[in-house]
Amino acid sequence: MGKSEDTSTKKRRKLNTSSSSDTKLSPVDIYKKVVEFEESESKLRSAEKDSTLFRKISQDVRQLFSDIAELKAKGTEEANEKIKTKRIEASLQLVALKKLNRLEKVRTRTGREALHKEKQRVDSTHLLLQNLLYEADHLNKEVTKCLQFKSKDEEIELVPLEDFYKNAPPEVIRPEITKTDEHQLQLARLEWELRQRRELAGACNELIASKERVGAAIAAARSRLDALVPHLRDVLKATKPLQECLALKLDEKREETKLASLLPPPLFLLYANASAYSDALGTNVITVGISGDEDEARRMDQTCNAEREVVASNDSDSDPDANDEEHREKKKRHHRAPKISKEEKAEAKKREALKKHPLSVLMTVKIADETAVNLTFLYLLHLKIIVVKVTMTYPNTITGVTAADVLTGDCVLNELYLGDTGNDSPHIATSYLLKAAGISDNFRKFIPEIGRPYIWAQRMCGLDFMALVADEHKTAKNVQPCSSLSIATVENFIFTLQNRLKARVKLMKELQDLESGRIVQPKEMSTVKLSGSLTQWQSITWAEYSQAPSTAFLISEGLVSPDYMLYRAIITRQSAKLVALVALSCDYPKQAPIFSLTLHWNGTHHCGTSDDIRDIERVINTDWHSENSNPVTLSIQMAKLLTCLDILLETMGSSEFSPDKVMLEPVLGRTRMRPYKFIKNGTGMFVQF
Amino acid sequence: MEWSTWTKETRLHRRTNRKGNANINMIGKMFYNTITCQTFSPCGKYLVAGNIYGQLAVFDLSSLLNPDKDKITADYDKPKRIHNLPKNTGFICSLASSEKFLIVGIDNEIQGWNWKEIHSKPGKVVWRIKIKTSGQCEVNSLWLSDDEEQLYAGCGDNNVYVYNLEDGTLISKYSGHEENQQLISSGEDGLVLLWDMRTGKAENKLKPYKEDKLARPDIGKWIGSVALGDDWIVCGGGPRLALWHLRSLDAVTVFDLPDRGIHVSFFYDDCVVAGGTAKHLYQLSYSGDVRVELPVSSTTVYSAILRTSPNKVLSIAGSSPDIDLCTTFNYRDQVLRFI
């Protein structure tokens, strides 16, 4: 208690002193001073001590108040006295409390301020940090940018290092530096590159200049030549009477060559090769020509060459306007197209798909007796195949129906090569192309109209679709005419066709003979008298042929097919009638005729029911008896057949047929074979084998 | 007896043949093949057929009748081997089979082939017997006595020759030593002769073409086949097939067949088997009923042979490249092709 009193007095003193010392100063100053003092005091004193002090004083005050209240209750004088003192004491205490309160306030304020200051400091530091980080980031970016920078020189294609060291001059190379320093090396190489490029650019310019000079010279020469053309025409015109006088065909040839250049490549190949053979073999073997609409062809040629801008001939230069007009017209027509009817549309489609090149190659193959085959080769632009039309020329009229038939164009060309009937397109893409053009019909339907696409025709024009099949990498568009194929095929074709023609003319004569009932006997058998006679010879259809019972075996063994030319011969001798069905292969005489016999005498006999007939067929159809390789012709076989019939009838033992042939044994062996084999022994005789 | 080989000759012949045909293509003669004779090998393994082109075809019967299903090839029905006789040989007229040899009758000659080498190449003639006669004399029929000592050859010169198989000597032209044995022959002249072997003379004579119910003048008077049974003779050809009683020499049964000539007839198991220019091979009872009609490939049957052991086989061949094989004798089982 005493101590607290001491401090409180001290305070009071101090307070007093201070107040007393500042009395002379202005009120503002005093206040300032007081504030300053209290501030410093609040700093000096600890807050905890003040707090305990505050509590103690307030306890004291409470004590005093309770004392006072006690005393008041007493209500004595003494008590009043005491109350007075106590009051003073309490008032003092309250002053102290006030002081403490003020101090505390000041302290709180300074604390707050300090905190605020500190906060601001931290904030600014943080801001600084952010700035620095940003800056660092930016710098980093810059650095990577720099690192990634690409210089122009890296794009330049440089001379390889070895070449550089080999070719560049030493002052550029500077090996002592460049060997060690990559950068210097690069610089040196760039320098070398620059030098070289400059040199080359110079050279290039020089060359361009010289080219222009040459071009100018050419143009000059051309204009001179152009000036020459009218003169030459005049010369040609002047020579015409001379040519006519000497019967030279120079002009026609020239015209044709000009036309030939307009042919599509396959036909051109054919024309070139065929005309070469025509020159070599003579025009009495093969002649070649070109026919068709020349103007149309020229237009087509030009539209093809439009992009290429080739200066072709004077003609093309002279009438470009006409061409344009034509184009316009075509366009107009095209516009009108949608209006036409469906049928017409289909027809137009068909015409477009089967469109031919306006030019065609005419080829005529002749043999010695002036029989000729006229072939027209046409190129189908869309289908890219060759079709052939054929006509025949004969030196004199052919008597006989069957004889004329073997010399019709299609018959002559049928299976000229094995299996080549020309009945379907050899190009596998054809059906696809037709379908793509919107035509559902099979290509076969158009053959009578457009001609036959024989394989030899394709090959003569250098088109080999077989090779295409084998080589799958090529597409259908790339069928390029192959000249070597064309050469080989043309030669082969000419001779094959000639052989076929010769064979057919021979056959025609044989058939003429047969139709008139004449049998030509081979020389060595001329002594043999033939008693039978050929009364009928006519051609028959496959249906008739295949229905005959005698042919069943030939058909089932595949020896005769519907492609064969079929005939019926009727041979009679007294009451015996022999019907022979003859099948001739297209390849006759390479393939011998095949006979199928039916004998009407005492019943009907054929090779299925009678061994005798079978024996005759064996003798005639097979090579069993003919040791020598004589040609087996139809007439020889017919003569043989008549002989065999005579022998068979004469050995039957019937009195109707008087034997007039010399035979060793009429029948031999258990098979009772008749002597069909002729041997020239004296007047000749017949033996079995 | 002669020993010779002709392999080289055969090859030469083939080559020239091919050359000769270079420019003209004719139908292969094999399409018109006619098989004249057949025989079985004694072991039963092989069937040999001879044709008019002088070829011998050897078929492997054991593999044909018991086919190994995994090994069947496209040409299983073709001959295993074809032997070509020299070109001027002519027909192969007849075949017979002894224990050791395949006996081949051709023109003027009888050949012996070793059965052991028959399937190997080249074919080899082990022995030959030349028939000494004037003119042409093809061996149309061969028959071997049961003891395999004597070979009877019916020839184109209207004679029957008998040879000793041991040394190839001619024993007799008409007769042998056996007693109680009769020999029967027939031919183009329409006669059927019964020979007494002891005297060597024709004992009896039949003329079927003279019988009204048998004669078919449009076909001919020739007799294609004759066979002798215990009490019966069966014969036919141009005249109808008929059964004759041996003792009375009467035509007891006339077989009414739709044929155009009989070439094959023999007795088997109380039946008459007959064939010729007809669509069928017939098995007939003695009373004239048709028991079995066997369809055949050939226009004319020239050879029908049968055996019962080791298995039942009837092989029918004739004017066709096809040979019909029957194992039951009732229907056609297989068709072989001699091509």
Side-chain angles (χ1 to χ4, degrees):
Chain A
M1 178 64 98
K3 206 184 172 182
S4 70
E5 253 176 61
D6 281 349
T7 50
S8 62
T9 49
K10 227 194 269 174
K11 268 181 198 166
R12 213 180 295 146
R13 216 182 300 146
K14 273 179 191 172
L15 285 167
N16 288 343
T17 51
S18 65
S19 59
S20 65
S21 61
D22 294 336
T23 44
K24 277 166 193 171
L25 294 167
S26 66
V28 182
D29 287 345
I30 293 170
Y31 183 74
K32 220 179 191 176
K33 271 193 179 160
V34 169
V35 170
E36 275 175 8
F37 174 75
E38 280 192 336
E39 275 178 4
S40 59
E41 202 177 13
S42 72
K43 273 180 201 162
L44 288 174
R45 295 171 69 99
S46 92
E48 283 83 18
K49 272 184 187 164
D50 280 355
S51 161
T52 47
L53 190 59
F54 179 79
R55 244 172 254 140
K56 196 174 163 250
I57 292 169
S58 46
Q59 189 68 38
D60 288 348
V61 170
R62 231 172 268 139
Q63 188 63 47
L64 281 175
F65 284 165
S66 60
D67 287 351
I68 291 167
E70 228 176 274
L71 287 172
K72 272 202 172 160
K74 280 173 185 174
T76 60
E77 273 293 311
E78 205 182 351
N80 280 344
E81 234 17 71
K82 270 185 184 174
I83 289 170
K84 257 187 193 167
T85 55
K86 291 262 182 195
R87 235 185 232 163
I88 295 163
E89 239 174 86
S91 302
L92 286 171
Q93 290 287 29
L94 279 171
V95 170
L97 272 177
K98 265 192 170 175
K99 174 74 180 176
L100 279 173
N101 189 29
R102 218 169 28 249
L103 277 175
E104 191 52 44
K105 283 247 172 79
V106 168
R107 205 178 282 139
T108 311
R109 205 189 67 215
T110 53
R112 261 199 206 121
E113 275 170 5
L115 177 68
H116 188 67
K117 237 184 218 160
E118 199 60 25
K119 261 188 182 165
Q120 269 183 338
R121 210 175 49 84
V122 168
D123 274 355
S124 68
T125 325
H126 188 250
L127 194 66
L128 189 65
L129 174 68
Q130 289 290 350
N131 275 339
L132 286 172
L133 277 175
Y134 183 78
E135 203 170 332
D137 197 34
H138 178 72
L139 287 173
N140 267 334
K141 269 185 191 163
E142 286 296 311
V143 167
T144 48
K145 242 185 217 170
C146 288
L147 285 175
Q148 280 169 356
F149 175 75
K150 275 205 168 178
S151 173
K152 262 279 188 214
D153 72 294
E154 282 169 48
E155 289 167 18
I156 299 170
E157 276 181 49
L158 293 175
V159 175
L161 204 55
E162 301 99 65
D163 291 359
F164 169 71
Y165 275 118
K166 222 185 276 171
N167 299 330
E171 73 267 18
V172 176
I173 299 178
R174 286 172 300 161
E176 67 284 356
I177 306 170
T178 54
K179 288 268 184 195
T180 50
D181 190 342
E182 192 82 4
H183 183 64
Q184 285 299 326
L185 172 66
Q186 185 70 8
L187 282 178
R189 287 176 72 185
L190 282 170
E191 189 187 341
W192 173 234
E193 194 68 31
L194 180 64
R195 268 198 211 188
Q196 275 194 320
R197 289 194 180 201
R198 270 197 192 126
E199 278 168 29
L200 288 173
C204 179
N205 282 334
E206 254 173 56
L207 286 174
I208 287 170
S210 73
K211 187 185 151 195
E212 272 165 9
R213 272 199 306 281
V214 172
I218 288 172
R222 183 168 286 149
S223 68
R224 252 182 61 208
L225 281 175
D226 286 352
L228 210 62
V229 167
H231 292 293
L232 284 174
R233 281 218 182 110
D234 289 344
V235 171
L236 275 179
K237 241 178 227 168
T239 58
K240 236 175 203 160
L242 183 67
Q243 272 184 43
E244 276 163 23
C245 194
L246 297 175
L248 288 174
K249 287 181 180 172
L250 295 177
D251 269 352
E252 282 175 33
K253 258 228 168 119
R254 210 171 294 123
E255 279 298 311
E256 217 160 69
T257 336
K258 213 193 265 174
L259 264 182
S261 67
L262 296 174
L263 285 171
L267 284 181
F268 178 78
L269 249 183
L270 171 69
Y271 175 77
N273 286 321
S275 55
Y277 276 103
S278 161
D279 287 346
L281 300 170
T283 49
N284 53 355
V285 174
I286 172 174
T287 54
V288 191
I290 297 171
S291 80
D293 186 349
E294 184 183 344
D295 295 337
E296 180 80 34
R298 195 151 282 154
R299 269 198 292 281
M300 193 169 277
D301 194 46
Q302 269 165 25
T303 47
C304 282
N305 290 349
E307 316 92 53
R308 279 189 273 163
E309 285 290 336
V310 181
V311 186
S313 65
N314 285 338
D315 296 33
S316 66
D317 288 337
S318 62
D319 55 7
D321 297 350
N323 273 338
D324 283 359
E325 254 175 45
E326 182 64 29
H327 277 296
R328 245 173 274 143
E329 255 180 51
K330 265 189 185 166
K331 270 182 191 168
K332 269 183 206 162
R333 263 183 237 144
H334 210 75
H335 284 305
R336 245 179 271 142
K339 284 174 194 167
I340 55 178
S341 75
K342 216 174 182 184
E343 270 174 44
E344 278 173 331
K345 222 184 205 170
E347 185 64 24
K349 251 186 206 170
K350 194 183 109 186
R351 218 180 307 130
E352 180 60 30
L354 299 174
K355 197 177 175 193
K356 298 163 195 157
H357 194 273
L359 292 184
S360 54
V361 172
L362 301 176
M363 186 194 278
T364 305
V365 178
K366 275 187 227 159
I367 55 167
D369 75 339
E370 293 294 311
T371 307
V373 186
N374 309 312
L375 301 165
T376 311
F377 291 82
L378 297 155
Y379 184 59
L380 299 186
L381 287 166
H382 190 67
L383 299 180
K384 295 188 168 40
I385 54 174
I386 304 286
V387 290
V388 181
K389 285 182 174 174
V390 60
T391 56
M392 302 288 301
T393 348
Y394 319 112
N396 33 32
T397 50
I398 300 165
T399 60
V401 188
T402 57
D405 279 351
V406 296
L407 271 178
T408 56
D410 282 339
C411 184
V412 168
L413 294 182
N414 189 21
E415 293 212 38
L416 193 59
Y417 296 93
L418 195 67
D420 189 1
T421 55
N423 279 333
D424 205 356
S425 169
H427 194 356
I428 24 169
T430 299
S431 60
Y432 167 74
L433 285 172
L434 280 179
K435 221 174 270 170
I439 294 172
S440 51
D441 286 337
N442 200 323
F443 182 71
R444 286 161 179 269
K445 269 189 95 173
F446 305 121
I447 282 179
E449 199 180 322
I450 57 170
R452 288 178 180 273
Y454 294 106
I455 293 166
W456 50 257
Q458 322 300 323
R459 294 173 67 90
M460 277 166 80
C461 295
L463 300 175
D464 192 355
F465 298 115
M466 283 309 170
L468 194 74
V469 177
D471 189 0
E472 286 176 11
H473 302 296
K474 289 183 182 173
T475 58
K477 282 176 191 166
N478 296 347
V479 183
Q480 289 302 328
C482 161
S483 56
S484 56
L485 175 71
S486 171
I487 294 169
T489 320
V490 167
E491 177 175 10
N492 188 302
F493 171 76
I494 293 169
F495 295 119
T496 311
L497 184 58
Q498 272 201 313
N499 285 340
R500 168 63 66 89
L501 260 187
K502 281 179 198 161
R504 281 300 162 90
V505 169
K506 219 183 255 175
L507 175 63
M508 183 268 290
K509 284 176 183 157
E510 281 182 305
L511 289 175
Q512 266 183 345
D513 283 347
L514 289 175
E515 254 183 289
S516 57
R518 212 166 35 238
I519 302 286
V520 183
Q521 268 186 294
K523 263 182 208 160
E524 67 268 20
M525 284 172 76
S526 55
T527 50
V528 179
K529 188 187 148 224
L530 297 180
S531 310
S533 57
L534 177 63
T535 51
Q536 194 196 65
W537 178 271
Q538 64 183 59
S539 55
I540 54 169
T541 62
W542 172 250
E544 284 178 81
Y545 185 83
S546 55
Q547 270 162 23
S550 60
T551 57
F553 139 79
L554 292 172
I555 295 168
S556 71
E557 293 284 354
L559 297 169
V560 179
S561 70
D563 281 336
Y564 279 52
M565 298 178 270
L566 306 167
Y567 302 98
R568 175 169 52 221
I570 296 179
I571 299 161
T572 50
R573 180 177 171 183
Q574 276 108 322
S575 64
K577 181 176 120 181
L578 180 71
V579 179
L581 301 182
V582 186
L584 269 180
S585 150
C586 298
D587 235 5
Y588 174 86
K590 273 187 204 156
Q591 296 274 355
I594 298 172
F595 283 71
S596 166
L597 311 172
T598 309
L599 177 66
H600 298 278
W601 182 74
N602 224 335
T604 305
H605 313 275
H606 58 80
C607 77
T609 60
S610 163
D611 254 13
D612 294 319
I613 303 297
R614 193 166 176 269
D615 285 345
I616 296 180
E617 278 189 19
R618 179 192 295 126
V619 168
I620 291 172
N621 285 343
T622 72
D623 53 353
W624 182 40
H625 267 169
S626 52
E627 278 116 37
N628 46 3
S629 53
N630 275 345
V632 180
T633 64
L634 186 58
S635 43
I636 287 178
Q637 277 183 306
M638 281 303 289
K640 225 183 197 176
L641 176 61
L642 263 81
T643 322
C644 288
L645 177 66
D646 281 349
I647 286 166
L648 175 64
L649 293 175
E650 285 164 22
T651 52
M652 285 283 208
S654 164
S655 56
E656 190 184 350
F657 309 106
S658 57
D660 61 354
K661 299 191 173 50
V662 188
M663 327 179 193
L664 273 186
E665 304 264 357
V667 284
L668 188 72
R670 289 188 51 234
T671 60
R672 312 195 69 249
M673 175 97 73
R674 324 278 162 170
Y676 296 121
K677 189 177 179 184
F678 180 79
I679 45 173
K680 198 151 175 52
N681 196 351
T683 54
M685 60 176 178
F686 289 91
V687 296
Q688 268 79 359
F689 50 86
Chain B
M1 204 173 283
E2 276 180 47
W3 297 73
S4 75
T5 57
W6 38 265
T7 350
K8 206 173 165 188
E9 209 178 330
T10 317
R11 259 188 224 137
L12 275 174
H13 146 66
R14 275 204 205 135
R15 199 174 300 144
T16 49
N17 201 11
R18 201 176 302 150
K19 212 174 172 186
N21 292 340
N23 39 11
I24 306 154
N25 280 320
M26 299 190 80
I27 301 179
K29 62 181 180 183
M30 289 315 253
F31 285 117
Y32 285 102
N33 194 3
T34 290
I35 299 158
T36 50
C37 48
Q38 310 173 88
T39 191
F40 294 114
S41 69
C43 59
K45 243 182 108 176
Y46 300 111
L47 169 69
V48 178
N51 71 1
I52 57 165
Y53 304 125
Q55 293 175 317
L56 283 174
V58 184
F59 292 94
D60 190 348
L61 267 192
S62 54
S63 68
L64 281 164
L65 296 176
N66 307 304
D68 187 347
K69 272 179 189 138
D70 305 330
K71 286 181 189 166
I72 285 185
T73 51
D75 59 347
Y76 77 98
D77 56 350
K78 303 277 189 315
K80 207 177 162 210
R81 169 92 50 227
I82 292 183
H83 299 288
N84 282 289
L85 269 64
K87 199 179 182 190
N88 52 7
T89 308
F91 293 1
I92 289 181
C93 307
S94 54
L95 287 171
S97 173
S98 77
E99 200 53 50
K100 268 167 123 179
F101 301 111
L102 167 68
I103 303 164
V104 182
I106 55 170
D107 228 20
N108 292 324
E109 191 173 277
I110 300 170
Q111 299 181 340
W113 296 54
N114 198 335
W115 272 120
K116 279 179 191 157
E117 293 167 10
I118 198 71
H119 58 277
S120 63
K121 197 182 172 186
K124 204 172 187 180
V125 180
V126 185
W127 51 261
R128 290 167 196 267
I129 299 171
K130 292 270 182 204
I131 295 167
K132 292 175 185 70
T133 178
S134 58
Q136 198 150 36
C137 166
E138 73 280 5
V139 181
N140 279 328
S141 174
L142 282 169
W143 184 74
L144 204 61
S145 65
D146 293 339
D147 57 4
E148 297 200 345
E149 276 182 3
Q150 286 165 21
L151 180 66
Y152 292 77
C155 291
D157 60 352
N158 297 331
N159 293 327
V160 176
Y161 296 89
V162 186
Y163 291 97
N164 186 340
L165 208 53
E166 273 304 306
D167 53 8
T169 51
L170 180 67
I171 298 168
S172 162
K173 240 186 175 176
Y174 293 103
S175 61
H177 294 292
E178 293 93 340
E179 289 177 16
N180 300 326
Q181 178 134 20
Q182 284 173 308
L183 186 68
I184 196 160
S185 70
S186 64
E188 187 63 31
D189 52 10
L191 297 178
V192 178
L193 295 178
L194 276 159
W195 299 95
D196 187 322
M197 293 194 157
R198 286 161 298 190
T199 59
K201 278 181 186 157
E203 200 179 47
N204 272 310
K205 211 186 267 185
L206 297 180
K207 289 179 184 168
Y209 66 96
K210 290 248 167 110
E211 302 274 334
D212 287 345
K213 53 185 177 181
L214 300 182
R216 286 186 293 191
D218 55 322
I219 300 175
K221 62 180 185 178
W222 52 272
I223 296 296
S225 173
V226 65
L228 189 64
D230 290 337
D231 295 315
W232 305 96
I233 300 168
V234 67
C235 70
R240 288 183 201 287
L241 184 73
L243 195 66
W244 299 68
H245 193 243
L246 188 58
R247 222 89 25 96
S248 64
L249 297 178
D250 279 336
V252 178
T253 313
V254 179
F255 299 103
D256 187 21
L257 301 176
D259 67 290
R260 302 282 304 165
I262 297 291
H263 287 274
V264 171
S265 64
F266 56 89
F267 293 103
Y268 166 73
D269 194 19
D270 289 336
C271 269
V272 174
V273 179
T277 313
K279 288 197 164 61
H280 298 93
L281 186 82
Y282 298 93
Q283 287 173 40
L284 308 151
S285 69
Y286 287 177
S287 58
D289 303 327
V290 176
R291 280 201 186 156
V292 179
E293 276 185 341
L294 209 65
V296 291
S297 310
S298 315
T299 307
T300 302
V301 176
Y302 287 116
S303 167
I305 55 170
L306 65 77
R307 68 162 194 216
T308 47
S309 68
N311 36 28
K312 275 167 89 175
V313 182
L314 171 62
S315 173
I316 307 159
S319 53
S320 162
D322 296 344
I323 299 175
D324 301 316
L325 274 189
C326 318
T327 48
T328 57
F329 305 164
N330 288 330
Y331 57 86
R332 178 160 53 183
D333 292 308
Q334 283 190 55
V335 178
L336 311 181
R337 301 218 79 189
F338 186 173
I339 265 190

